[in-house]
Amino acid sequence: SSWLPLSFNTINVISSSSEFQSIHSWLPLIKSVKSGNLFPSKPNIDITSSSYLFYPYLTLWIYGLMAWFIGLKGVITLSIVIFPVCSFYLLYRIFSRQLSEMWSIAISLTCILAFSGWPFRSFLAGVIKGLSISELTTIQPLEITHYPFPSLSVFIFLLLFYMSTKNKKLSLTKITVFTCLWGLYSQIHAVDALYGLAFWFIYFPIQLFRQSGKQLDKTFIETIGYQVL
């Protein structure tokens, strides 16, 4: 890994599949979008080649726009610093609704400080076995710093989750807006969108039911029907 200082050569260095994908798969697509091709198909061969494929186009457009404004170095800085910090803050705000400040910070850090190629269970096993620091330590980016996934996708997911679960009265307009946003999230990360939509279609009927005085009236049924349609 060329970004590592020479003094780290004696420490275990791991290059994860996420890091490889960020550099060799997603970065060429981002460069192609930056050059004006909104539907890139062969960015490694011809950045002008265009075709509609099953890509998370909204993610690519966001990154392409950011690269156009602040350059690729700025995009990488946002991905490895700003988005993860914002994700940590959102996690803290979400957990702090039910937990103390100390527990909220601890659990949020545990969620953020994860490495794809260095399981926490293996680390604990090494500590118990009494392995040296050089054998226990790995030099690689945090999983959440890889771009565009999960750096941007996790941040937007947490932002949507935080906003949609605010303790405010639900209205048809608010429910419809968040249904559309969770659906649009499929163009950020298709798999995470399934989790988000499943959560939303469980969460808002329960909240609406409580809000209506636990009555299954016509308005309640119509509201759910509109969202499904």
Side-chain angles (χ1 to χ4, degrees):
S1 298
S2 59
W3 58 273
L4 295 173
L6 294 177
S7 58
F8 287 155
N9 288 341
T10 57
I11 301 177
N12 186 23
V13 178
I14 298 177
S15 179
S16 68
S17 61
S18 297
E19 184 179 358
F20 181 87
Q21 291 174 17
S22 294
I23 297 172
H24 299 287
S25 297
W26 294 112
L27 193 58
L29 287 168
I30 293 170
K31 289 180 179 178
S32 185
V33 172
K34 178 189 175 184
S35 68
N37 183 8
L38 297 181
F39 299 96
S41 60
K42 301 175 182 178
N44 289 304
I45 301 174
D46 180 9
I47 63 172
T48 63
S49 178
S50 180
S51 179
Y52 187 81
L53 303 172
F54 191 70
Y55 282 146
Y57 285 109
L58 191 54
T59 294
L60 295 177
W61 295 343
I62 290 173
Y63 265 86
L65 184 62
M66 291 191 300
W68 187 75
F69 275 109
I70 60 177
L72 290 174
K73 290 184 177 180
V75 167
I76 294 173
T77 300
L78 282 175
S79 298
I80 67 177
V81 179
I82 305 301
F83 290 151
V85 170
C86 291
S87 295
F88 167 77
Y89 176 73
L90 288 170
L91 280 169
Y92 165 75
R93 292 296 301 269
I94 291 169
F95 286 126
S96 63
R97 291 171 176 172
Q98 304 293 333
L99 302 174
S100 66
E101 181 178 0
M102 186 64 69
W103 275 107
S104 299
I105 293 174
I107 296 176
S108 299
L109 283 174
T110 302
C111 293
I112 294 296
L113 301 178
F115 301 91
S116 60
W118 196 247
F120 188 61
R121 182 174 57 185
S122 300
F123 174 79
L124 290 179
V127 172
I128 295 173
K129 292 177 182 179
L131 299 179
S132 65
I133 188 65
S134 61
E135 294 175 291
L136 289 173
T137 307
T138 176
I139 300 299
Q140 64 166 305
L142 293 171
E143 180 64 18
I144 199 171
T145 63
H146 296 302
Y147 55 90
F149 311 117
S151 179
L152 177 67
S153 59
V154 167
F155 166 65
I156 295 181
F157 185 95
L158 291 173
L159 183 62
L160 275 176
F161 183 91
Y162 175 74
M163 297 298 295
S164 59
T165 55
K166 275 192 169 182
N167 190 23
K168 292 184 178 180
K169 185 178 180 179
L170 291 177
S171 64
L172 178 60
T173 300
K174 181 179 178 180
I175 293 172
T176 303
V177 167
F178 280 110
T179 299
C180 293
L181 288 175
W182 280 115
L184 190 61
Y185 186 78
S186 63
Q187 293 302 306
I188 298 290
H189 195 293
V191 176
D192 288 354
L194 296 178
Y195 295 115
L197 284 168
F199 151 75
W200 179 241
F201 275 95
I202 293 172
Y203 173 81
F204 90 77
I206 294 175
Q207 291 298 105
L208 194 62
F209 180 67
R210 291 176 176 176
Q211 184 177 297
S212 63
K214 299 183 179 180
Q215 294 181 357
L216 294 175
D217 54 15
K218 182 180 178 180
T219 303
F220 176 83
I221 296 173
E222 286 181 349
T223 301
I224 295 179
Y226 289 147
Q227 305 312 307
V228 173
L229 293 176

